[in-house]
Amino acid sequence: MRPCNTCETERNYAVAQPASILLVDDEQDIIKLMEIYFANEGYRILKANDGMQALKLLETEVIDLIILDVMMPNMDGIEACMKIREQQKMPIIMLSAKSTDIDKITGLSIGADDYVTKPFNPLELVARAKSQLRRYHTFNDGRESREYEWVIDDLVINTDTHEVWVDEKAVHLTPREFAVLELLARHQGSVLSMEQIYRQVWKEEFMESNNTVMVHIRKLREKIEPDSKHPKFIQTVWGVGYKMIKPQ
């Protein structure tokens, strides 16, 4: 049986490109402000100055969310939103200096998912974007290879590409850590003993003194849990084993 101390020498598994957000506004100061806040959260940022540029980018880029200003030259946000909705269904957040109810209703009726008025709080805009991305991945097809994805609250596990996100941020796991996480995700709500996990992941006989599974669970919690001391996703069932929460 392979010594336990070799488990931690495995190469880190490079995973998950961050979600891509397209910022569309003709005001460069606003673009720069949004870019700073979203880049700080780890998102991949693309930029366009008007609706026409945005549509061209959508022909070649995979976009997860669009923040789209209403008043722009060449093609405004209303027309751009309608054209985007003819083929795409990623979340769209409209930005506008207009704050009347009719303006908001117009934006939402043409296919926007949210409407934010200028001036806005950048932190609120980021929070709204995160909420839209979570909802999109949970209730729609979301990213490519969706059939290979497990969505558990704000944890996303792609078993096809071995990508993991927590709150839309990429998480880097070793191959063994990913295998343990995938096993638990496939048995959401069921308790798996350390022996079951070890046999399934390491394909070897389990010894009572072997703490390999415990070590990997601890490292997983440090990487995916908001608070590893009070785990949200991977729960301990004392005297039995571990289980992944099952969304209600």
Side-chain angles (χ1 to χ4, degrees):
M1 184 172 64
R2 186 177 58 172
C4 297
N5 58 10
T6 65
C7 302
E8 301 309 315
T9 64
E10 296 170 343
R11 174 180 59 87
N12 279 348
Y13 197 85
V15 296
Q17 291 298 315
S20 297
I21 296 180
L22 175 58
L23 308 176
V24 190
D25 200 310
D26 62 322
E27 296 184 58
Q28 293 306 305
D29 288 344
I30 292 179
I31 286 282
K32 290 179 182 178
L33 177 66
M34 291 191 292
E35 183 177 13
I36 289 171
Y37 278 84
F38 280 106
N40 189 53
E41 292 292 321
Y43 294 105
R44 173 173 174 257
I45 306 300
L46 296 96
K47 297 173 285 185
N49 295 324
D50 58 45
M52 293 181 67
Q53 289 185 14
L55 291 175
K56 288 181 180 178
L57 278 172
L58 285 168
E59 293 176 359
T60 58
E61 298 284 348
V62 176
I63 306 296
D64 294 283
L65 179 140
I66 301 175
I67 297 179
L68 184 63
D69 186 39
V70 172
M71 300 299 293
M72 295 182 294
N74 300 322
M75 180 185 292
D76 64 25
I78 298 296
E79 184 178 357
C81 184
M82 290 190 292
K83 288 186 176 295
I84 292 168
R85 278 292 175 255
E86 290 175 2
Q87 297 183 338
Q88 307 268 10
K89 57 182 179 180
M90 77 284 286
I92 298 175
I93 299 177
M94 301 292 288
L95 290 181
S96 178
K98 299 180 179 180
S99 59
T100 64
D101 289 342
I102 189 63
D103 293 315
K104 295 178 182 179
I105 291 170
T106 299
L108 295 173
S109 66
I110 62 168
D113 298 277
D114 202 353
Y115 190 102
V116 176
T117 57
K118 296 179 179 179
F120 56 85
N121 182 329
L123 293 175
E124 179 185 352
L125 182 61
V126 169
R128 286 174 179 261
K130 287 183 178 181
S131 176
Q132 290 296 332
L133 285 166
R134 283 195 295 270
R135 186 176 298 114
Y136 179 54
H137 289 314
T138 302
F139 298 110
N140 296 282
D141 289 339
R143 297 175 182 268
E144 294 179 8
S145 302
R146 171 66 184 176
E147 64 269 23
Y148 302 107
E149 282 188 354
W150 298 89
V151 179
I152 305 165
D153 197 7
D154 52 4
L155 169 66
V156 180
I157 306 164
N158 189 307
T159 59
D160 182 44
T161 60
H162 282 214
E163 296 176 338
V164 176
W165 301 270
V166 176
D167 198 17
E168 293 300 324
K169 293 182 180 179
V171 177
H172 298 268
L173 303 180
T174 67
R176 292 294 193 197
E177 289 168 352
F178 184 89
V180 173
L181 183 64
E182 179 183 354
L183 179 65
L184 291 171
R186 290 186 181 279
H187 296 83
Q188 291 172 49
S190 298
V191 181
L192 299 179
S193 68
M194 286 196 292
E195 180 177 356
Q196 287 175 308
I197 295 171
Y198 191 85
R199 286 176 178 273
Q200 288 288 327
V201 174
W202 279 265
K203 310 296 183 184
E204 297 174 353
E205 290 299 319
F206 178 76
M207 298 178 61
E208 290 295 331
S209 60
N210 192 335
N211 67 350
T212 302
V213 173
M214 188 182 303
V215 170
H216 279 70
I217 292 292
R218 176 173 58 81
K219 290 189 173 295
L220 270 175
R221 284 172 170 166
E222 290 172 354
K223 293 180 178 182
I224 70 171
E225 298 283 1
D227 181 355
S228 61
K229 294 183 179 179
H230 300 89
K232 168 184 176 183
F233 300 114
I234 302 176
Q235 298 179 343
T236 300
V237 180
W238 296 106
V240 184
Y242 303 96
K243 71 174 181 178
M244 177 75 73
I245 63 165
K246 188 172 185 179
Q248 298 299 319

